Amino acid sequence: MTGGEYPGVAADAPDGSGAHPAPLLRQWRGLAEDCVLLDGFHALKHALRFGARIPLALTEDRAAALELADGLAPDLTRTLDGLLREVPPGALRGLVPRPHPTGVAALAVRGGGRVADDRTSPVVVLDNPRHLGNVGAVIRLAAGAGAAGVLTTGTVDPWHPNVVRASAGLHFATAVRRCEPSALPPGPLYALDPDGRDLRGLELPDDALVAFGSERHGLSEALRERADHLVALPMQPQVSSYNLATSVAMTLYHWMAGRAPAPGGPGRGTPA
C-alpha cells in the first residue's frame, strides 16, 4: 500500500529524517489554526482509514510509531512511513496542550459534516452538550454503530481537540457538525425524555433523528417542541439518569438489534 492510496496523503511524502525540525515546527504553527488536531497514534490511524486529508504528521520516535503500526494497523504502515516526520524529544510539548503517550500528533482538514436527506441510518442529535469527553465518546459510538452523523446544538465545538481525542479520530467516519434545531435535516425526531414512551416498545426508523438532552438540564424547549415522539430508556426506580454516552449506546443498539447483520458487515468486536 502506498501513501497515495489514502486520500490526502501524498505518495511522494518526505522521508521523515527530521534533520531540520525548525521548518516543520513553523509549518505546524502555520497550519494549526485552520486544521483539526489529531492527538496520538490511534486518532491518526482512524482519520487515515476514513479518508482524512493530513497535511502534516509528527512523531518524536519514528521507529516506535512504525512498530506500533506494524502491531495495530499493518494496513497503514507504509502510508505512515511516508507521512510521519520526526522531531526531537520534547518538541511536541510546544505544539499540543498535552502530548499523547504514543508521541504522535497530526493535523487534519476538518470534515464537511453533511448529513444526507435520504439515509439508511439514524442521526444522533446532542442538545447543548457541555462535556467534551462525552461528545467524543458519542461520536465514537456513532461511528461504530454506523449512524449517519452526530449533530450538536449550543456553543460547544464538536471538533474541539478534546472531543477529537475522546473520539479517537473517528470524526471522519461519520458526519459531525454543529446545528441548531431549526436547521436539522428532515426525518422523524425521537427525543429522549423521562416522561416518554418506553423505547423497548418502539421501532426506530432508519431515517430517525434521535435527540439527547444535556447532561445537566435535559432537552431544551426548542428541541422538545420540534420532537415528533418522546421516548424513554428503561431505568430502575430512584435512579436519576444514565451517562450521555451510555444513553446513546443503548438507543443505537436498540436500533441495530432490530436489523439483520449485512453480509460481510460489522458484527465482530475489536480491541479498544
Side-chain angles (χ1 to χ4, degrees):
M1 178 181 301
T2 65
E5 293 179 41
Y6 282 88
V9 179
D12 58 348
D15 64 8
S17 64
H20 302 289
L24 293 175
L25 303 185
R26 286 196 297 270
Q27 183 183 2
W28 178 284
R29 294 186 178 100
L31 291 167
E33 185 174 349
D34 297 322
C35 287
V36 176
L37 172 63
L38 300 175
D39 198 4
F41 174 83
H42 303 289
L44 176 58
K45 170 189 72 177
H46 283 136
L48 285 171
R49 283 179 174 165
F50 290 98
R53 293 170 54 202
I54 312 293
L56 185 60
L58 304 179
T59 177
E60 294 181 353
D61 189 336
R62 271 177 53 83
L66 293 175
E67 183 179 356
L68 192 61
D70 282 338
L72 299 180
D75 56 308
L76 292 174
T77 300
R78 289 186 62 187
T79 298
L80 289 167
D81 188 24
L83 180 65
L84 286 169
R85 309 298 307 276
E86 189 168 84
V87 293
L92 293 183
R93 292 190 178 277
L95 301 177
V96 300
R98 182 164 56 100
H100 195 272
T102 56
V104 172
L107 294 173
V109 177
R110 182 183 294 228
R114 182 182 178 278
V115 174
D117 291 348
D118 182 16
R119 56 185 182 274
T120 58
S121 58
V123 174
V124 175
V125 180
L126 302 183
D127 189 21
N128 197 27
R130 310 306 303 166
H131 192 283
L132 300 177
N134 273 343
V135 178
V138 167
I139 292 168
R140 190 169 183 172
L141 283 165
V150 176
L151 306 180
T152 66
T153 73
T155 59
V156 166
D157 179 8
W159 287 84
H160 187 282
N162 289 356
V163 180
V164 178
R165 182 170 183 150
S167 82
L170 283 163
H171 279 60
F172 298 93
T174 188
V176 177
R177 65 180 171 89
R178 189 160 44 193
C179 178
E180 291 309 310
S182 59
L184 289 173
L189 178 59
Y190 290 74
L192 275 288
D193 185 88
D195 295 327
R197 182 178 169 187
D198 192 318
L199 179 66
R200 291 173 293 182
L202 298 172
E203 179 178 345
L204 289 176
D206 291 343
D207 64 344
L209 305 169
V210 190
F212 301 82
S214 70
E215 298 89 334
R216 179 171 297 179
H217 301 294
L219 287 171
S220 65
E221 283 304 314
L223 203 57
R224 184 186 292 273
E225 291 175 3
R226 165 75 170 76
D228 299 296
H229 309 275
L230 294 180
V231 298
L233 295 171
M235 186 183 301
Q236 293 299 309
Q238 301 185 18
V239 177
S240 59
S241 65
Y242 293 118
N243 170 272
L244 176 61
T246 300
S247 298
V248 175
M250 293 172 69
T251 305
L252 289 180
Y253 181 78
H254 175 78
W255 169 73
M256 294 169 67
R259 283 140 189 83
R268 178 180 60 85
T270 56

